[in-house]
Amino acid sequence: MSAELVCFNPGCPERFPIDAVLYECPRCGRLLEARYDFAPLKPAALTAMWDGRLLSREPLDVSGVWRFRDLLPFLGDTKHIVTLQEGNTPLLDAPGAAAYARLDHIQFKHQGYNPSASFKDNGMTAGIAQARALGMKRVACVSTGNTSASMAAYAAAGGLQAVIFLPYGKIAYGKLAQALEYGALTIQVEANFDQILALVRRLAEELGIYLLNSINPFRIEGQKTIAIEMLDQRGWQVPDWLVLPGGNLGNVSALGKGLRELKEVGVIDRLPKLAVVQAAGAAPFFHLFQSGTGGAIQNVENPETLATAIRIGAPVSWEKALREVQSSGGVVESVTEQEIADAKAIIGRSGIGCEPASAASLAGARKLCSRGVIAEDADVVGVLTGHLLKDPDYVYRYHTGRIETPGGDRLTSTLGNQPVVMPNDPGKIAEFLLTRA
C-alpha cells in the first residue's frame, strides 16, 4: 500500500517519502501528515480480520494499536515495532456521571488503562517504531508529564536513549516519577512548555535527535487507533458526540483522522461531532473557535491550569484540530478550574477515576448539555486521557479542602471526602460508624 508524507496546507503541493525525517513542510512551514491509498481495503474483510486477531497470541495482534495496523501501514518492516500491549482500554458506562452532566447516558473511553497510564502510549508505540526504522539512537520530547512518561517507557523497551525536557516545577510528581524510573535523561528548564518546545526543536535538528512530540506525524498515526478501537467496541455504531480535552490538540487531530479514514474505507457511514474542551486558563483554541474569524490562533503567553496535561498556550496542532472539529460539525468549549475539579470528583464517585485534564470531558459535556448544544438523549462518549494516580496530590488537596488555582484562589471542595482521625477506641469508632450508616 502506498504511503507518503503530505503537507497539511491544501494549497501546498509538497509530498515527501514516508521515511523523511520531517515534522513540518520545508516550503510553507505547515505540519505534515501520513496519507495512504486505502482503495484496496474492503470494509467487511477488514473488520473480520480485526476480529480474527482477537484470538491471536502474536504480540502485534495483542496490541490495541497494531491490531489495526492495516490503517497505519507506514512501516516497511514490523520488526521495528516496540509494543507493551498498549491500547485495549475499556469503554465504561458511568450513570452517575451522566446524571451530573444531565445526559441520559455517557460512556468513557479510559486511556488511563494504558501501560504508562495515559493515551500517549497509543502514539508512542508508533513514533518509537518509526525512530527505530530510521536508525535513530536518541529520542526527545517536551512534556508536562504524560508524553515524558510514555516516551521514556517505550524508548527503554526499544533500546533508545530518551531525553526529556520539562517545565521546571510545572509537572505532577506522579508523571515525573515515571520518567525517572524508566531511565530517561531528564532536563528541567525554567520556561513554559511552549518556550521549551521552540528550543528543543532547534536542538533536535542540530544534534540528530528524533522528536516525539505531537508534531511528529507518526505519533498521530498511533493515537488515531483510540477512535478505531472505541468504535470496534461499540460494534461500529457511531456516537452522536465524542468529547475530549484539548491541550496541544494532537489527540483531537489524531482521533479526527482515524474517524475520517474509517469513513473513507467504508467501515462507518458518518462522523460523530467532536467537542473539544479546554481549561479556561489555557484556552487559545476555544477563543479562536468563538471568534469565527478563520484567522490564526492567538497564543496564551502564560497558560495556567491545575490540569497540567492541558496547560499549553501555543498548541502546534491547532490547524489540524480545527479541520477535524469543523468537518464533524463540532464545537469547542472552555471550563473553569472549579468545573474540572468537581467533574473529576464525580468521575471518581462513578468508580472510575482520572487525571484532572480528563475531567474536562465531563465538565464540558455538562456545560454543553446545559446550553442545549448536546441533547439530553444524545449518544455521548467522553475520552479520559490519564489515570487517577497521575496526580495524586491534586486528589488529596481537593478532598481535604486545600486546593487552590494557580492564581492562589481557593477552590470549593464541593464533593470533598475528608479522611477522619479517630482514637484507638472501638466504642467511639462503632458510634461514629452508626452515625454514617
Side-chain angles (χ1 to χ4, degrees), residues 173-384:
Y173 286 114
K175 301 175 184 181
L176 176 58
Q178 290 180 278
L180 300 178
E181 186 76 358
Y182 298 139
L185 175 59
T186 303
I187 301 170
Q188 299 189 76
V189 182
E190 294 176 331
N192 66 33
F193 176 95
D194 307 304
Q195 294 165 336
I196 302 170
L197 181 58
L199 178 152
V200 172
R201 287 168 76 171
R202 293 197 301 271
L203 286 175
E205 184 174 356
E206 292 172 8
L207 301 177
I209 302 174
Y210 195 57
L211 189 58
L212 281 173
N213 279 95
S214 58
I215 61 171
N216 185 302
F218 301 99
R219 276 273 314 278
I220 301 302
E221 290 305 289
Q223 283 169 218
K224 75 185 184 185
T225 61
I226 298 169
I228 300 170
E229 184 178 72
M230 178 270 292
L231 285 168
D232 182 30
Q233 291 167 318
R234 290 172 52 94
W236 308 108
Q237 297 299 307
V238 180
D240 298 320
W241 288 89
L242 181 60
V243 187
L244 65 163
N248 217 16
L249 303 175
N251 216 25
V252 181
S253 308
L255 270 65
K257 186 174 190 287
L259 292 164
R260 282 189 294 104
E261 290 177 348
L262 284 174
K263 187 172 182 290
E264 177 187 341
V265 172
V267 173
I268 59 176
D269 59 5
R270 67 180 181 89
L271 300 175
K273 294 181 180 180
L274 297 180
V276 181
V277 187
Q278 295 202 289
F285 191 54
F286 166 73
H287 293 301
L288 171 69
F289 192 82
Q290 289 296 107
S291 71
T293 60
I297 198 166
Q298 300 299 309
N299 295 332
V300 176
E301 186 174 346
N302 295 301
E304 288 292 356
T305 172
L306 294 172
T308 56
I310 53 175
R311 187 197 282 138
I312 297 169
V316 296
S317 297
W318 70 268
E319 288 184 285
K320 286 184 177 182
L322 185 62
R323 174 187 65 180
E324 305 303 349
V325 172
Q326 290 178 333
S327 64
S328 76
V331 297
V332 183
E333 186 56 87
S334 75
V335 289
T336 66
E337 297 297 297
Q338 186 70 58
E339 288 170 326
I340 291 173
D342 290 344
K344 177 173 159 38
I346 288 291
I347 293 169
R349 291 197 176 189
S350 300
I352 297 172
C354 65
E355 68 173 350
S358 297
S361 294
L362 180 61
R366 174 183 167 93
K367 202 166 185 177
L368 292 167
C369 189
S370 69
R371 288 173 40 209
V373 176
I374 297 179
E376 291 183 9
D377 62 352
D379 185 0
V380 180
V381 174
V383 177
L384 302 182

Side-chain angles (χ1 to χ4, degrees), residues 70-250:
D70 313 273
L71 291 190
L72 46 160
F74 59 87
L75 287 173
D77 192 334
T78 59
K79 71 180 183 182
H80 301 296
I81 293 173
V82 176
T83 176
L84 297 173
Q85 296 188 20
E86 56 288 319
N88 300 306
T89 58
L91 189 63
L92 304 170
D93 291 327
Y100 177 76
R102 304 183 184 94
L103 291 166
D104 293 343
H105 181 69
I106 192 169
Q107 292 181 303
F108 289 123
K109 178 63 172 164
H110 202 329
Q111 294 303 107
Y113 283 69
N114 262 302
S116 81
S118 88
F119 74 96
K120 303 289 187 176
D121 293 348
N122 289 69
M124 204 57 69
T125 182
I128 289 289
Q130 183 69 357
R132 283 162 52 93
L134 294 170
M136 296 292 180
K137 303 301 180 184
R138 292 194 291 178
V139 291
C141 72
V142 185
S143 177
T144 55
N146 285 331
T147 303
S148 64
S150 182
M151 191 187 78
Y154 280 84
L160 305 179
Q161 182 189 37
V163 185
I164 291 166
F165 296 83
L166 305 170
Y168 180 64
K170 299 289 187 178
I171 180 174
Y173 286 114
K175 301 175 184 181
L176 176 58
Q178 290 180 278
L180 300 178
E181 186 76 358
Y182 298 139
L185 175 59
T186 303
I187 301 170
Q188 299 189 76
V189 182
E190 294 176 331
N192 66 33
F193 176 95
D194 307 304
Q195 294 165 336
I196 302 170
L197 181 58
L199 178 152
V200 172
R201 287 168 76 171
R202 293 197 301 271
L203 286 175
E205 184 174 356
E206 292 172 8
L207 301 177
I209 302 174
Y210 195 57
L211 189 58
L212 281 173
N213 279 95
S214 58
I215 61 171
N216 185 302
F218 301 99
R219 276 273 314 278
I220 301 302
E221 290 305 289
Q223 283 169 218
K224 75 185 184 185
T225 61
I226 298 169
I228 300 170
E229 184 178 72
M230 178 270 292
L231 285 168
D232 182 30
Q233 291 167 318
R234 290 172 52 94
W236 308 108
Q237 297 299 307
V238 180
D240 298 320
W241 288 89
L242 181 60
V243 187
L244 65 163
N248 217 16
L249 303 175

Side-chain angles (χ1 to χ4, degrees), residues 15-28:
R15 301 288 189 272
F16 307 94
I18 199 68
D19 59 354
V21 184
L22 290 171
Y23 315 106
E24 296 172 324
C25 176
R27 176 173 177 168
C28 70

